[in-house]
Every structure is written in structure tokens, then in C-alpha cells.
């Protein structure tokens, strides 16, 4: 596919998106259909099977452009939010309903069938999930389907956080999960993506994409004494967030969790494992 990144290009040898006709080689080209993620989260996998590697996750309310569905219940398409391509469970998708109006701001919230926190929850939604709210009723936000969510756990889509580092800090202690992006488990670049999205900043999914797309380079010649809060520190295949000059925050497989640790200790450990800092990018 030439210079196309396969992670972001809906093209296979047998099938590709119609808009790629003349740009990539495929047996046929099809128009995509828009679907909505209806489950709290849906795994996006590299192959159409449940034991395939997890590439990322799609959250409730996200739109997905689907180009193919197979007989085994998998749908192949592209996320509208960050353009990642892969296979999702078809039963997690429905034709789009009313457009989302609000998003979840708690790490996790419950959806109730009645305006009572004593009612058995219908489901639990992750941070960043999008929902269509019909009205506010006392302490609840009522969805267009008639379900109830604690109003303190949602905000309008145009309500943004001011400090993405503070958002990321809420996830301290969450277990590490390759491809994850919720409080049930997330990886280094997933943490960066959801924290920046909460502040209204578009962010690619993987750390190498983030290193190319985000911020401006700082810390020339390996001098990290001027680290500032919010600087992104990159290694090959890894990214961390500076909290200040002396500490950083990251989801990492060494501790298998989101942790805060001293910059010097993290740098030394990662260097001993054979990896050097490739860049520091400052978000402006």
C-alpha cells in the first residue's frame, strides 16, 4: 500500500474503502456504512477472532465506518475518532441513533433503569463514553432511551478539562493492558490519548504516531533538566507524561499499572533494559 499506514488505512488485498480506489490495490472497493458502538466498550482486534491481539478499544457512542461483516460475527472497519482500522464484534454495533450530547467524566459510572441508585444497574460506562441525554431530572441525566445516569458523572461534549496531566493522574493504579483505554486496563499511549481527548485535544492512538504528531521537540542533546508538566517523553514503543522536573506518570508493563515514579529511576530502569529516550515533546 505504498506509504499508507495499515493501522489507519481501510484496505486489504480483497477489499478496500471506496475512497481509496486508484490509491491502493484491492480486489474490490466498497462504500462504508456508519455504525455506533452500543456496548460500554468494544475490542478492536487485528484479526477476526477473540484471541487476536487487542489493538485498541472503542467506547460506547463512538461511530465506526464498517466495510465488511463476516459470518462469524466480526465487523471490519475504521473508528471515526482516531481512524484506527480493525475488527470489532458485530453485536457491539448498531445503526446510529440520536447523536451523543454528553460524555462520561467519572472513571466509571452506572446506568440505572430508574431514578434510583438502589436500582440494579443496566451497565457500567467508562470515562469518555458518549451518550445522548434527553433531559436533566433532579440528580440524574436521562438518556434518550429512558435510562438514568448520575448527573455529576457526565458533562456536555463541549465541556473540557484544563489539565490533561491531572486527568491522567486519576488513573494511577489502573492495571496495564496492551491496547486498553479504560479504568479496567490501559496502555501508555491509551492513557495519553484519553487524557488529551478530555481536554479537547486530538491525539493519535499509538506512541509512534503521537511522537510524530504532538507538540514541539525540547530537551535537546539529552538534557532533561527543563522538563515541564505535560511534556511527553518518548522511547521506542513507549510514552510517559512529565508531572514536573522530577517525576513522571505512565502506564507500563514493568509495574503492570499506571504509576508515578521519579524521572531518574524510570530513565535508569528503561535505559538498563536497552532503550533510550528518543524525544521529548512539549504540548503547547
Amino acid at each position: 500500500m505504498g506509504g499508507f499506514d495499515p493501522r489507519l488505512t481501510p484496505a486489504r488485498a480483497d477489499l478496500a474503502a471506496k475512497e481509496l480506489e486508484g490509491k491502493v490495490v484491492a480486489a474490490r472497493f466498497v462504500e462504508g456504512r456508519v455504525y455506533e458502538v452500543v456496548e460500554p466498550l468494544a475490542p478492536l482486534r487485528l484479526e477476526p477472532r477473540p484471541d487476536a491481539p487487542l489493538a485498541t478499544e472503542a467506547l460506547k457512542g463512538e461511530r465506526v465506518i464498517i466495510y465488511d461483516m463476516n459470518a462469524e460475527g466480526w465487523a471490519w472497519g475504521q473508528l471515526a475518532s482516531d481512524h484506527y482500522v480493525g475488527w470489532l464484534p458485530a453485536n457491539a454495533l448498531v445503526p446510529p441513533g440520536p447523536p451523543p450530547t454528553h460524555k462520561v467524566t467519572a472513571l466509571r459510572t452506572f446506568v440505572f433503569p430508574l431514578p434510583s441508585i438502589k436500582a440494579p444497574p443496566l451497565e457500567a460506562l467508562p470515562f469518555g463514553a458518549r451518550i445522548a441525554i434527553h433531559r436533566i431530572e433532579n440528580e440524574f441525566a436521562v438518556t434518550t432511551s429512558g435510562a438514568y445516569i448520575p448527573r455529576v458523572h457526565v458533562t456536555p461534549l463541549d465541556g473540557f478539562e484544563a489539565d490533561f496531566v491531572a486527568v491522567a493522574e486519576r488513573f494511577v493504579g489502573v492495571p496495564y493492558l496492551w491496547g486498553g483505554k479504560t479504568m479496567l486496563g490501559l496502555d501508555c499511549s491509551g492513557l495519553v490519548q484519553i487524557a488529551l481527548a478530555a481536554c479537547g485535544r486530538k491525539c493519535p492512538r499509538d506512541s509512534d504516531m503521537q511522537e510524530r504528531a504532538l507538540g514541539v521537540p525540547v530537551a535537546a542533546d539529552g538534557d532533561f533538566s527543563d522538563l515541564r508538566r505535560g511534556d511527553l517523553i518518548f522511547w521506542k514503543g513507549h510514552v510517559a507524561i512529565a508531572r514536573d522536573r522530577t517525576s513522571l506518570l505512565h502506564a507500563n508493563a514493568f509495574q503492570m499499572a499506571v504509576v508515578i515514579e521519579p524521572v531518574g529511576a524510570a530513565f535508569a530502569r528503561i535505559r538498563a533494559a536497552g532503550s533510550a529516550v528518543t524525544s521529548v515533546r512539549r504540548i503547547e
Side-chain angles (χ1 to χ4, degrees):
M1 292 189 296
F4 291 100
D5 187 332
R7 295 170 294 179
L8 305 176
T9 309
R12 312 184 318 227
D14 63 320
L15 180 149
K18 185 70 174 177
E19 65 266 21
L20 294 174
E21 192 165 7
K23 301 176 182 178
V24 302
V25 176
R28 62 191 180 98
F29 296 86
V30 300
E31 296 283 356
R33 295 182 60 186
V34 177
Y35 285 81
E36 174 184 346
V37 177
V38 71
E39 295 294 326
L41 63 89
L44 185 144
R45 301 191 182 278
L46 299 180
E47 297 177 31
R49 61 176 205 271
D51 61 345
L54 179 67
T56 187
E57 292 175 316
L59 308 184
K60 188 181 182 76
E62 280 198 64
R63 268 39 179 180
V64 188
I65 305 170
I66 296 299
Y67 298 95
D68 183 28
M69 287 194 181
N70 68 19
E72 288 72 45
W74 291 91
W76 183 75
Q78 184 172 38
L79 302 183
S81 58
D82 61 16
H83 310 299
Y84 221 102
V85 173
W87 293 90
L88 299 118
N91 61 8
L93 306 173
V94 296
T101 60
H102 289 64
K103 58 188 174 183
V104 174
T105 55
L107 292 190
R108 202 174 189 205
T109 192
F110 291 107
V111 181
F112 299 97
L114 304 168
S116 170
I117 59 173
K118 297 181 179 180
L122 298 171
E123 60 183 354
L125 301 182
F127 181 90
R130 297 183 165 215
I131 57 271
I133 298 299
H134 176 60
R135 68 183 187 277
I136 301 297
E137 182 179 301
N138 299 320
E139 301 305 315
F140 290 94
V142 186
T143 70
T144 54
S145 62
Y148 294 80
I149 302 173
R151 64 183 296 180
V152 296
H153 286 175
V154 299
T155 195
L157 291 182
D158 60 0
F160 297 119
E161 304 270 359
D163 182 355
F164 86 92
V165 183
V167 175
E169 287 171 335
R170 297 179 204 165
F171 289 83
V172 169
V174 168
Y176 181 88
L177 175 66
W178 180 276
K181 53 187 288 187
T182 77
M183 59 86 63
L184 297 177
L186 40 66
D187 60 17
C188 62
S189 54
L191 178 65
V192 171
Q193 186 185 52
I194 61 175
L196 283 172
C199 297
R201 301 290 297 262
K202 287 189 176 296
C203 178
R205 179 58 179 89
D206 293 343
S207 61
D208 63 317
M209 301 174 184
Q210 294 171 355
E211 187 171 16
R212 291 192 297 268
L214 299 176
V216 296
V218 294
D221 302 320
D223 179 9
F224 307 111
S225 61
D226 188 37
L227 279 178
R228 298 182 190 174
R229 184 175 178 84
D231 285 351
L232 298 178
I233 308 160
F234 290 94
W235 296 260
K236 184 178 180 181
H238 187 60
V239 59
I241 305 167
R243 298 176 67 244
D244 50 39
R245 287 192 300 171
T246 62
S247 66
L248 57 76
L249 168 75
H250 57 160
N252 70 92
F254 180 77
Q255 283 114 338
M256 285 304 294
V258 179
V259 300
I260 294 170
E261 60 179 323
V263 166
F267 280 21
R269 186 185 71 253
I270 297 172
R271 189 183 307 114
S275 185
V277 173
T278 55
S279 72
V280 178
R281 311 284 298 185
R282 181 158 294 160
I283 306 294
E284 297 182 332

